[in-house]
Amino acid sequence: MISTDHKGNLVAVTVFGEFTLADYREFEELVNYKIQFVGTVDLLFDLREMAGFTLDLAWEEIKFSREHAHDFRRIAILTDDQWVTWSAWISQLFVDAEVQVFSSDEDARAWLGVAAEATP
């Protein structure tokens, strides 16, 4: 299950439990809308409550990233999981965006240039 929030050029996604293909498609729809009407997007993924992800989601993420390689400015990922951290660095191969991993929401939002009180 995911929770999404968006303001300006920021799309924030929090994942709870297993991250599924249906969740990812919801995210894709929101991002496509923002790209169409706002332009380049910043992403904030909070994966601290994620229990895992499905294989079809992983494949969809690679395809989506390649299709939108130039549509992201910065991608902040909140996690304490080493596997997620490693996969975040691999994701940089598919996008032009700066990708950083954080353990603190405040640090991630500061890096993105978003006020901490904008937390969903």
Side-chain angles (χ1 to χ4, degrees):
M1 177 179 155
I2 66 169
S3 170
T4 60
D5 187 37
H6 58 96
K7 288 186 178 161
N9 71 328
L10 175 68
V11 174
V13 177
T14 303
V15 179
F16 303 96
E18 186 173 58
F19 198 6
T20 67
L21 183 58
D23 295 330
Y24 197 80
R25 293 239 164 98
E26 179 183 335
F27 158 76
E28 286 178 325
E29 187 176 308
L30 176 57
V31 169
N32 284 329
Y33 174 86
K34 294 299 275 190
I35 290 169
Q36 181 179 358
F37 292 103
V38 177
T40 304
V41 174
D42 287 335
L43 300 177
L44 173 60
F45 276 105
D46 186 343
L47 304 179
R48 295 174 292 182
E49 299 296 322
M50 182 177 76
F53 56 90
T54 60
L55 187 56
D56 54 353
L57 171 120
W59 179 245
E60 185 67 20
E61 193 274 331
I62 291 170
K63 292 188 322 186
F64 185 77
S65 295
R66 291 182 65 169
E67 290 170 9
H68 294 281
H70 309 291
D71 293 329
F72 304 109
R73 184 179 73 97
R74 287 186 164 180
I75 302 171
I77 301 169
L78 286 164
T79 187
D80 295 318
D81 183 286
Q82 291 298 333
W83 171 252
V84 174
T85 300
W86 181 81
S87 66
W89 298 121
I90 295 297
S91 296
Q92 285 185 301
L93 299 174
F94 302 109
V95 294
D96 290 336
E98 294 178 68
V99 178
Q100 289 285 336
V101 177
F102 299 90
S103 57
S104 158
D105 184 71
E106 293 79 21
D107 291 344
R109 288 178 179 277
W111 182 72
L112 290 168
V114 178
E117 52 271 3
T119 303

